[in-house]
Amino acid sequence: MKLVLLSGGSGKRLWPLSNDARSKQFLKVLNNSFNESESMVQRVWSQLKSVHLASSSLIATNGSQVEMIQNQIGNDVPLVIEPERRDTFPAIALAASYLFSVMNTNLNEVVAILPVDPYVERDFFSKVKDLEMLLHQSGANLALLGIQPTYPSEKYGYIVPEEEEGEWIQVSHFQEKPNVEQAEALLKKNALWNSGVFAFKLGYVLSLLEEKGFPIEYDQLLLHYSSLPKISFDYEVVEKESNIAALSYDGYWKDLGTWNTLTDEMGITQMGKGILHHDCVNTHLINELDIPVTVVGASNLIVAASPDGILVSDKEQSPKIKELVKQYEQQPRYEERSWGWYKVLDDTIGEDGQVVLTKRMKMNAESFWHEQLPPLRSEVWTVISGKGELIVNEELHYLEAGEVFEFPQGAASELHALTEMELIAVQKGKVRKVDGKLNLVATPDENAANFHSLKTAETL
């Protein structure tokens, strides 16, 4: 069996910690068995290792998440990278073509698809393994893993059974997120929550691609990726398939997609600088800023602060944040990269369109950073701590705490952090929109009227 983990998401429901570059699965707000902070993707990957499934797993993701995945779970994880975001059907199709033509996987091999961030215990993945047996025993084209409901939820879709066949069920149809009355009726029909986990034989999806006139070779499908329908696998395939079987899982399973569900599993009530007074009840404080936040006499609140913003919300009302933050249209002010992370500390735009952007960078020991500076953009670094070797236009410079370095315009640069390093980078130039993102490019003909505010630049 091969496992494909889907890693996507726009990072709106857990704002301000999550953003377009750091979706919920990368937030290090959970505690592992060593009492260390870990993210959802780190937790799932360690569970897959413990049940010996990591070696047969790969992650389907988009380019903006590659460095964060590698930063959190290593560079050896096989990745299938979408050239553009096009929903789950294209992503799964691309992963299937990769398994077939790059990894030479047999057409009869069972492929299981699951989200990269379910909050489950290890026995959940043993149940995922059982989907392989289910496909062979039932003769179904698709095998689903449903969750035994614990209450009539409006948050999940439902798998409605047609009949039970011993330990598995034949699926009748699906019901999208119902109201409470509909959910109560579905529970009486022994319906299951749809976990988003399903399996098929590799040849099944490849045949669908061929029927739709798309290539099944990975390199060719990459070239035609923008032609694939921008639609979920559920709508494009699952709801059109009549031969579906399902297994029921009655262990612990939770979607930590909102602040009220996530804080239930955090284990601690405060992270970061500040005071959460003892008279606060069911209130969580998560602060990524360098200034303290104090919460007194507040109940049932989530208080979250990051370079992207500050949220104070009743926990039950926190799911509304996804729609509210759409009006900001801001780019991430905090990002993790393969070498470490950076925060945007300040940005100032002058009347002439010149921008001064100040960032704080933290580099991991023995990591590398490299960049080709655009023409006419100036940049100055101040080293706060640590030591490193900087090569600029093939000339070697040694950097240590307290030193200031000014880059020549258009310089080709590479930094090797000999130890953990922290730096302040001050960049000056103009910006323009490139593929919907604001970038410091500093070319002479840039017009400041093309942007309304600089939120961050894709330069580090």
Side-chain angles (χ1 to χ4, degrees):
M1 173 183 268
K2 300 292 185 181
L3 266 65
V4 176
L5 307 179
L6 300 180
S7 179
S10 58
K12 301 298 185 186
R13 292 190 293 170
L14 292 175
W15 183 92
L17 267 64
S18 63
N19 55 39
D20 284 339
R22 183 173 56 154
S23 299
K24 67 173 183 177
Q25 59 264 35
F26 302 114
L27 302 181
K28 295 181 181 179
V29 293
L30 302 174
N31 273 10
N32 62 19
S33 56
F34 300 103
N35 203 31
E36 300 168 333
S37 295
E38 68 176 357
S39 68
M40 301 178 203
V41 69
Q42 288 174 318
R43 185 176 191 272
V44 166
W45 196 253
S46 66
Q47 288 174 321
L48 289 174
K49 284 183 174 180
S50 69
V51 295
H52 309 293
L53 282 174
S55 60
S56 58
S57 300
L58 57 87
I59 299 178
T61 187
N62 55 72
S64 66
Q65 295 186 358
V66 169
E67 289 195 56
M68 194 163 294
I69 290 172
Q70 293 174 336
N71 191 34
Q72 293 200 357
I73 58 177
N75 296 321
D76 298 331
V77 180
L79 301 178
V80 176
I81 304 168
E82 292 181 281
E84 60 179 274
R85 293 186 181 184
R86 296 198 67 80
D87 218 321
T88 56
F89 171 70
I92 292 169
L94 189 65
S97 71
Y98 182 88
L99 288 169
F100 171 65
S101 60
V102 177
M103 298 185 69
N104 298 315
T105 304
N106 190 284
L107 293 177
N108 287 319
E109 183 79 37
V110 172
V111 180
I113 308 294
L114 63 158
V116 77
D117 56 359
Y119 192 79
V120 295
E121 302 301 334
R122 284 194 308 175
D123 62 348
F124 176 83
F125 298 102
S126 298
K127 201 70 173 181
V128 172
K129 286 182 180 179
D130 292 341
L131 293 178
E132 181 173 20
M133 176 187 65
L134 175 60
L135 281 174
H136 294 309
Q137 287 184 349
S138 66
N141 290 324
L142 285 173
L144 276 59
L145 184 58
I147 309 299
Q148 192 68 45
T150 54
Y151 67 100
S153 174
E154 301 174 273
K155 297 187 300 181
Y156 308 122
Y158 285 75
I159 301 169
V160 184
E162 182 174 290
E163 58 181 322
E164 293 190 13
E165 299 284 351
E167 295 182 355
W168 55 276
I169 65 171
Q170 190 73 32
V171 175
S172 170
H173 62 279
F174 301 89
Q175 172 73 48
E176 280 306 306
K177 299 175 183 178
N179 58 37
V180 173
E181 292 77 14
Q182 292 171 328
E184 289 174 345
L186 288 167
L187 262 57
K188 293 178 181 177
K189 296 180 180 179
N190 296 322
L192 305 171
W193 287 339
N194 191 351
S195 68
V197 177
F198 53 90
F200 49 78
K201 292 182 180 178
L202 179 60
Y204 173 75
V205 166
L206 296 179
S207 296
L208 292 177
L209 276 175
E210 289 182 315
E211 289 174 10
K212 297 176 185 297
F214 292 104
I216 60 174
E217 295 290 331
Y218 177 71
D219 291 341
Q220 291 300 310
L221 191 59
L222 274 176
L223 296 175
H224 293 84
Y225 197 73
S226 60
S227 301
L228 287 167
K230 194 172 186 179
I231 190 171
S232 72
F233 193 88
D234 282 352
Y235 287 132
E236 182 67 9
V237 179
V238 180
E239 293 192 0
K240 297 176 182 177
E241 176 59 59
S242 59
N243 188 11
I244 304 177
L247 291 177
S248 173
Y249 175 71
D250 60 2
Y252 193 80
W253 176 89
K254 198 169 186 179
D255 176 15
L256 304 186
T258 58
W259 279 116
N260 54 331
T261 57
L262 178 59
T263 52
D264 285 344
E265 305 297 341
M266 281 181 54
I268 57 175
T269 57
Q270 179 180 339
M271 297 180 69
K273 286 186 178 181
I275 298 172
L276 186 63
H277 197 260
H278 62 78
D279 63 0
C280 294
V281 178
N282 189 32
T283 291
H284 282 73
L285 168 61
I286 305 172
N287 183 15
E288 292 188 332
L289 302 178
D290 292 326
I291 56 175
V293 174
T294 301
V295 186
V296 181
S299 298
N300 305 314
L301 291 187
I302 172 64
V303 180
S306 84
D308 285 310
I310 298 173
L311 170 69
V312 180
S313 172
D314 177 271
K315 287 187 177 180
E316 291 300 318
Q317 299 298 315
S318 63
K320 294 179 180 178
I321 193 64
K322 180 177 181 180
E323 295 301 318
L324 294 175
V325 299
K326 288 181 179 179
Q327 61 186 293
Y328 295 147
E329 296 183 355
Q330 69 177 20
Q331 288 181 259
R333 296 179 71 90
Y334 172 89
E335 291 195 43
E336 287 185 29
R337 296 300 179 91
S338 58
W339 43 262
W341 54 257
Y342 76 80
K343 297 178 183 178
V344 176
L345 302 179
D346 184 67
D347 56 79
T348 303
I349 302 176
E351 293 181 358
D352 61 352
Q354 290 287 316
V355 176
V356 178
L357 179 66
T358 305
K359 296 181 176 180
R360 182 168 185 159
M361 302 166 53
K362 184 173 184 179
M363 295 191 61
N364 301 321
E366 297 300 328
S367 63
F368 289 87
W369 164 93
H370 58 86
E371 182 184 21
Q372 176 76 49
L373 296 184
L376 303 183
R377 194 190 86 194
S378 63
E379 185 160 338
V380 178
W381 282 4
T382 301
V383 182
I384 300 173
S385 63
K387 297 180 179 180
E389 296 176 337
L390 177 65
I391 300 175
V392 180
N393 294 335
E394 301 183 354
E395 184 177 343
L396 178 63
H397 306 266
Y398 291 97
L399 298 182
E400 58 184 20
E403 291 194 5
V404 178
F405 187 87
E406 183 173 353
F407 289 83
Q409 294 175 348
S413 310
E414 179 175 301
L415 174 63
H416 174 206
L418 300 175
T419 66
E420 187 176 90
M421 294 185 71
E422 288 202 40
L423 312 99
I424 299 294
V426 180
Q427 304 166 339
K428 184 178 181 181
K430 287 187 178 181
V431 297
R432 67 177 175 185
K433 281 191 175 181
V434 179
D435 295 330
K437 287 192 173 184
L438 296 168
N439 290 261
L440 262 175
V441 291
T443 52
D445 58 348
E446 291 305 324
N447 186 341
N450 289 335
F451 57 90
H452 54 85
S453 174
L454 178 66
K455 296 303 178 185
T456 193
E458 283 292 310
T459 54
L460 291 178

Tab-separated table of all heavy atoms in Angstrom, residues 109-111 131 134-144 168 170 198-205 207-208 211 233 237-238 240-246:
chain	number	residue	atom	x	y	z
A	109	GLU	N	-1.543	-1.838	-7.248
A	109	GLU	CA	-1.174	-1.370	-5.907
A	109	GLU	C	-2.282	-0.484	-5.351
A	109	GLU	O	-2.843	0.365	-6.038
A	109	GLU	CB	0.125	-0.567	-5.967
A	109	GLU	CG	0.636	-0.096	-4.625
A	109	GLU	CD	1.345	-1.183	-3.848
A	109	GLU	OE1	2.050	-2.000	-4.478
A	109	GLU	OE2	1.201	-1.209	-2.615
A	110	VAL	N	-2.596	-0.692	-4.079
A	110	VAL	CA	-3.622	0.130	-3.420
A	110	VAL	C	-2.990	1.436	-2.936
A	110	VAL	O	-1.917	1.435	-2.326
A	110	VAL	CB	-4.259	-0.623	-2.242
A	110	VAL	CG1	-5.174	0.302	-1.434
A	110	VAL	CG2	-5.045	-1.824	-2.763
A	111	VAL	N	-3.667	2.538	-3.222
A	111	VAL	CA	-3.210	3.871	-2.828
A	111	VAL	C	-4.246	4.465	-1.879
A	111	VAL	O	-5.426	4.549	-2.222
A	111	VAL	CB	-3.032	4.793	-4.052
A	111	VAL	CG1	-2.565	6.179	-3.606
A	111	VAL	CG2	-2.058	4.177	-5.049
A	131	LEU	N	-7.999	-0.793	4.578
A	131	LEU	CA	-8.686	-0.426	3.336
A	131	LEU	C	-8.189	-1.265	2.161
A	131	LEU	O	-8.935	-1.518	1.215
A	131	LEU	CB	-8.491	1.065	3.034
A	131	LEU	CG	-9.167	2.041	4.003
A	131	LEU	CD1	-8.843	3.486	3.610
A	131	LEU	CD2	-10.675	1.830	4.037
A	134	LEU	N	-10.135	-4.385	2.291
A	134	LEU	CA	-11.519	-4.105	1.930
A	134	LEU	C	-11.706	-4.042	0.422
A	134	LEU	O	-12.689	-4.586	-0.123
A	134	LEU	CB	-11.977	-2.796	2.578
A	134	LEU	CG	-13.375	-2.306	2.207
A	134	LEU	CD1	-14.432	-3.342	2.594
A	134	LEU	CD2	-13.670	-0.965	2.868
A	135	LEU	N	-10.783	-3.403	-0.284
A	135	LEU	CA	-10.888	-3.325	-1.746
A	135	LEU	C	-10.877	-4.718	-2.365
A	135	LEU	O	-11.638	-5.002	-3.298
A	135	LEU	CB	-9.743	-2.485	-2.317
A	135	LEU	CG	-9.881	-0.965	-2.222
A	135	LEU	CD1	-8.599	-0.291	-2.694
A	135	LEU	CD2	-11.059	-0.465	-3.047
A	136	HIS	N	-10.021	-5.580	-1.860
A	136	HIS	CA	-9.920	-6.931	-2.420
A	136	HIS	C	-11.157	-7.766	-2.081
A	136	HIS	O	-11.666	-8.508	-2.932
A	136	HIS	CB	-8.660	-7.622	-1.901
A	136	HIS	CG	-7.381	-6.991	-2.363
A	136	HIS	ND1	-7.110	-6.707	-3.683
A	136	HIS	CD2	-6.292	-6.573	-1.653
A	136	HIS	CE1	-5.906	-6.160	-3.794
A	136	HIS	NE2	-5.394	-6.068	-2.579
A	137	GLN	N	-11.658	-7.663	-0.860
A	137	GLN	CA	-12.795	-8.483	-0.438
A	137	GLN	C	-14.112	-8.026	-1.061
A	137	GLN	O	-14.954	-8.850	-1.427
A	137	GLN	CB	-12.917	-8.450	1.086
A	137	GLN	CG	-11.851	-9.238	1.810
A	137	GLN	CD	-12.076	-9.250	3.317
A	137	GLN	OE1	-12.914	-8.516	3.837
A	137	GLN	NE2	-11.317	-10.088	4.019
A	138	SER	N	-14.297	-6.722	-1.171
A	138	SER	CA	-15.589	-6.191	-1.618
A	138	SER	C	-15.698	-6.064	-3.126
A	138	SER	O	-16.798	-6.029	-3.678
A	138	SER	CB	-15.832	-4.818	-0.986
A	138	SER	OG	-14.885	-3.873	-1.480
A	139	GLY	N	-14.548	-5.981	-3.808
A	139	GLY	CA	-14.572	-5.730	-5.251
A	139	GLY	C	-14.964	-4.299	-5.584
A	139	GLY	O	-15.262	-3.980	-6.740
A	140	ALA	N	-14.973	-3.414	-4.588
A	140	ALA	CA	-15.343	-2.009	-4.804
A	140	ALA	C	-14.236	-1.273	-5.550
A	140	ALA	O	-13.065	-1.672	-5.514
A	140	ALA	CB	-15.626	-1.334	-3.469
A	141	ASN	N	-14.611	-0.186	-6.211
A	141	ASN	CA	-13.632	0.671	-6.870
A	141	ASN	C	-13.016	1.680	-5.913
A	141	ASN	O	-11.890	2.126	-6.117
A	141	ASN	CB	-14.285	1.415	-8.040
A	141	ASN	CG	-14.634	0.493	-9.179
A	141	ASN	OD1	-13.901	-0.462	-9.458
A	141	ASN	ND2	-15.755	0.731	-9.835
A	142	LEU	N	-13.790	2.038	-4.879
A	142	LEU	CA	-13.306	2.963	-3.859
A	142	LEU	C	-13.613	2.392	-2.482
A	142	LEU	O	-14.681	1.816	-2.268
A	142	LEU	CB	-13.973	4.337	-3.990
A	142	LEU	CG	-13.530	5.261	-5.128
A	142	LEU	CD1	-14.438	6.486	-5.183
A	142	LEU	CD2	-12.081	5.682	-4.942
A	143	ALA	N	-12.676	2.562	-1.555
A	143	ALA	CA	-12.890	2.160	-0.163
A	143	ALA	C	-12.708	3.387	0.715
A	143	ALA	O	-11.696	4.082	0.609
A	143	ALA	CB	-11.901	1.072	0.246
A	144	LEU	N	-13.686	3.655	1.574
A	144	LEU	CA	-13.675	4.834	2.428
A	144	LEU	C	-13.527	4.440	3.885
A	144	LEU	O	-13.930	3.347	4.287
A	144	LEU	CB	-14.973	5.638	2.269
A	144	LEU	CG	-15.082	6.631	1.107
A	144	LEU	CD1	-14.893	5.945	-0.240
A	144	LEU	CD2	-16.420	7.349	1.152
A	168	TRP	N	-17.987	-4.574	6.956
A	168	TRP	CA	-17.939	-3.370	6.130
A	168	TRP	C	-19.321	-3.058	5.581
A	168	TRP	O	-20.245	-3.859	5.678
A	168	TRP	CB	-16.927	-3.533	4.985
A	168	TRP	CG	-17.150	-4.738	4.098
A	168	TRP	CD1	-16.720	-6.001	4.332
A	168	TRP	CD2	-17.843	-4.773	2.854
A	168	TRP	NE1	-17.109	-6.841	3.325
A	168	TRP	CE2	-17.790	-6.113	2.397
A	168	TRP	CE3	-18.500	-3.821	2.080
A	168	TRP	CZ2	-18.371	-6.497	1.190
A	168	TRP	CZ3	-19.071	-4.199	0.882
A	168	TRP	CH2	-19.002	-5.524	0.451
A	170	GLN	N	-21.765	-1.300	2.341
A	170	GLN	CA	-21.905	-0.807	0.977
A	170	GLN	C	-22.491	0.605	1.067
A	170	GLN	O	-23.478	0.838	1.754
A	170	GLN	CB	-22.844	-1.708	0.168
A	170	GLN	CG	-22.869	-1.424	-1.323
A	170	GLN	CD	-21.603	-1.901	-2.019
A	170	GLN	OE1	-20.993	-2.882	-1.616
A	170	GLN	NE2	-21.206	-1.185	-3.057
A	198	PHE	N	-9.681	7.728	1.896
A	198	PHE	CA	-10.209	6.724	0.970
A	198	PHE	C	-9.055	6.053	0.229
A	198	PHE	O	-7.907	6.511	0.294
A	198	PHE	CB	-11.187	7.358	-0.029
A	198	PHE	CG	-10.636	8.544	-0.773
A	198	PHE	CD1	-9.977	8.390	-1.973
A	198	PHE	CD2	-10.790	9.824	-0.261
A	198	PHE	CE1	-9.469	9.483	-2.661
A	198	PHE	CE2	-10.296	10.930	-0.936
A	198	PHE	CZ	-9.634	10.750	-2.143
A	199	ALA	N	-9.372	4.952	-0.448
A	199	ALA	CA	-8.336	4.184	-1.132
A	199	ALA	C	-8.872	3.656	-2.448
A	199	ALA	O	-10.088	3.485	-2.635
A	199	ALA	CB	-7.840	3.039	-0.256
A	200	PHE	N	-7.963	3.393	-3.372
A	200	PHE	CA	-8.293	2.834	-4.684
A	200	PHE	C	-7.056	2.132	-5.232
A	200	PHE	O	-5.940	2.340	-4.730
A	200	PHE	CB	-8.735	3.943	-5.647
A	200	PHE	CG	-7.789	5.126	-5.680
A	200	PHE	CD1	-6.586	5.078	-6.390
A	200	PHE	CD2	-8.100	6.289	-4.989
A	200	PHE	CE1	-5.727	6.158	-6.417
A	200	PHE	CE2	-7.241	7.382	-5.003
A	200	PHE	CZ	-6.050	7.313	-5.721
A	201	LYS	N	-7.264	1.307	-6.223
A	201	LYS	CA	-6.126	0.738	-6.930
A	201	LYS	C	-5.594	1.786	-7.900
A	201	LYS	O	-6.364	2.538	-8.508
A	201	LYS	CB	-6.535	-0.531	-7.675
A	201	LYS	CG	-6.886	-1.681	-6.736
A	201	LYS	CD	-7.240	-2.943	-7.513
A	201	LYS	CE	-7.586	-4.088	-6.542
A	201	LYS	NZ	-7.969	-5.313	-7.277
A	202	LEU	N	-4.280	1.858	-8.037
A	202	LEU	CA	-3.657	2.906	-8.834
A	202	LEU	C	-4.241	2.984	-10.238
A	202	LEU	O	-4.480	4.080	-10.768
A	202	LEU	CB	-2.143	2.666	-8.898
A	202	LEU	CG	-1.338	3.677	-9.720
A	202	LEU	CD1	-1.503	5.080	-9.171
A	202	LEU	CD2	0.135	3.268	-9.745
A	203	GLY	N	-4.486	1.835	-10.843
A	203	GLY	CA	-5.012	1.833	-12.206
A	203	GLY	C	-6.371	2.496	-12.336
A	203	GLY	O	-6.735	2.976	-13.425
A	204	TYR	N	-7.139	2.553	-11.241
A	204	TYR	CA	-8.481	3.157	-11.274
A	204	TYR	C	-8.404	4.632	-11.633
A	204	TYR	O	-9.089	5.109	-12.543
A	204	TYR	CB	-9.143	2.960	-9.911
A	204	TYR	CG	-10.468	3.685	-9.741
A	204	TYR	CD1	-11.624	3.200	-10.352
A	204	TYR	CD2	-10.562	4.835	-8.969
A	204	TYR	CE1	-12.848	3.861	-10.193
A	204	TYR	CE2	-11.774	5.493	-8.805
A	204	TYR	CZ	-12.910	5.008	-9.421
A	204	TYR	OH	-14.104	5.659	-9.269
A	205	VAL	N	-7.564	5.390	-10.950
A	205	VAL	CA	-7.449	6.826	-11.219
A	205	VAL	C	-6.767	7.082	-12.560
A	205	VAL	O	-7.151	7.997	-13.299
A	205	VAL	CB	-6.695	7.527	-10.079
A	205	VAL	CG1	-6.258	8.933	-10.474
A	205	VAL	CG2	-7.582	7.604	-8.840
A	207	SER	N	-6.972	5.258	-15.183
A	207	SER	CA	-7.979	5.010	-16.227
A	207	SER	C	-8.919	6.213	-16.372
A	207	SER	O	-9.304	6.581	-17.489
A	207	SER	CB	-8.789	3.755	-15.902
A	207	SER	OG	-7.970	2.611	-15.921
A	208	LEU	N	-9.287	6.820	-15.243
A	208	LEU	CA	-10.134	8.010	-15.298
A	208	LEU	C	-9.444	9.153	-16.035
A	208	LEU	O	-10.074	9.879	-16.804
A	208	LEU	CB	-10.499	8.464	-13.876
A	208	LEU	CG	-11.430	7.557	-13.071
A	208	LEU	CD1	-11.619	8.115	-11.667
A	208	LEU	CD2	-12.783	7.432	-13.768
A	211	GLU	N	-9.575	8.407	-19.736
A	211	GLU	CA	-10.920	8.642	-20.259
A	211	GLU	C	-11.191	10.125	-20.502
A	211	GLU	O	-11.931	10.502	-21.411
A	211	GLU	CB	-11.964	8.095	-19.277
A	211	GLU	CG	-12.018	6.572	-19.212
A	211	GLU	CD	-12.963	6.092	-18.120
A	211	GLU	OE1	-13.704	6.939	-17.556
A	211	GLU	OE2	-12.959	4.882	-17.824
A	233	PHE	N	-11.752	15.962	-5.461
A	233	PHE	CA	-11.861	14.551	-5.826
A	233	PHE	C	-13.247	14.019	-5.467
A	233	PHE	O	-13.805	13.188	-6.175
A	233	PHE	CB	-10.771	13.751	-5.114
A	233	PHE	CG	-10.596	12.353	-5.642
A	233	PHE	CD1	-9.745	12.100	-6.705
A	233	PHE	CD2	-11.266	11.285	-5.070
A	233	PHE	CE1	-9.573	10.808	-7.191
A	233	PHE	CE2	-11.095	9.996	-5.535
A	233	PHE	CZ	-10.256	9.754	-6.608
A	237	VAL	N	-15.034	12.536	-8.636
A	237	VAL	CA	-14.927	11.075	-8.708
A	237	VAL	C	-15.867	10.374	-7.724
A	237	VAL	O	-16.715	9.569	-8.127
A	237	VAL	CB	-13.471	10.614	-8.446
A	237	VAL	CG1	-13.374	9.091	-8.504
A	237	VAL	CG2	-12.522	11.253	-9.450
A	238	VAL	N	-15.735	10.668	-6.449
A	238	VAL	CA	-16.429	9.876	-5.413
A	238	VAL	C	-17.939	9.904	-5.598
A	238	VAL	O	-18.604	8.861	-5.555
A	238	VAL	CB	-16.041	10.371	-4.007
A	238	VAL	CG1	-16.777	9.544	-2.945
A	238	VAL	CG2	-14.531	10.275	-3.796
A	240	LYS	N	-19.644	10.356	-8.160
A	240	LYS	CA	-20.087	9.763	-9.429
A	240	LYS	C	-19.907	8.242	-9.437
A	240	LYS	O	-20.397	7.568	-10.347
A	240	LYS	CB	-19.311	10.374	-10.593
A	240	LYS	CG	-19.538	11.872	-10.771
A	240	LYS	CD	-18.667	12.433	-11.890
A	240	LYS	CE	-18.856	13.929	-12.053
A	240	LYS	NZ	-17.966	14.499	-13.102
A	241	GLU	N	-19.190	7.722	-8.459
A	241	GLU	CA	-18.896	6.292	-8.403
A	241	GLU	C	-20.013	5.560	-7.642
A	241	GLU	O	-20.423	5.970	-6.568
A	241	GLU	CB	-17.549	6.071	-7.706
A	241	GLU	CG	-17.170	4.619	-7.496
A	241	GLU	CD	-17.085	3.841	-8.790
A	241	GLU	OE1	-16.273	4.234	-9.657
A	241	GLU	OE2	-17.845	2.855	-8.929
A	242	SER	N	-20.498	4.458	-8.208
A	242	SER	CA	-21.593	3.709	-7.583
A	242	SER	C	-21.110	2.522	-6.751
A	242	SER	O	-21.852	2.032	-5.893
A	242	SER	CB	-22.561	3.207	-8.661
A	242	SER	OG	-21.878	2.377	-9.596
A	243	ASN	N	-19.898	2.075	-6.999
A	243	ASN	CA	-19.385	0.887	-6.310
A	243	ASN	C	-18.374	1.291	-5.239
A	243	ASN	O	-17.167	1.308	-5.468
A	243	ASN	CB	-18.751	-0.064	-7.331
A	243	ASN	CG	-18.363	-1.399	-6.711
A	243	ASN	OD1	-18.743	-1.707	-5.582
A	243	ASN	ND2	-17.610	-2.200	-7.452
A	244	ILE	N	-18.898	1.635	-4.049
A	244	ILE	CA	-18.055	2.126	-2.956
A	244	ILE	C	-18.349	1.339	-1.686
A	244	ILE	O	-19.511	1.127	-1.329
A	244	ILE	CB	-18.305	3.630	-2.679
A	244	ILE	CG1	-18.086	4.462	-3.945
A	244	ILE	CG2	-17.401	4.127	-1.561
A	244	ILE	CD1	-18.390	5.932	-3.770
A	245	ALA	N	-17.296	0.922	-1.015
A	245	ALA	CA	-17.425	0.257	0.279
A	245	ALA	C	-16.750	1.117	1.350
A	245	ALA	O	-15.934	1.983	1.035
A	245	ALA	CB	-16.778	-1.128	0.240
A	246	ALA	N	-17.103	0.878	2.599
A	246	ALA	CA	-16.541	1.691	3.677
A	246	ALA	C	-16.337	0.866	4.935
A	246	ALA	O	-17.054	-0.105	5.191
A	246	ALA	CB	-17.449	2.883	3.976
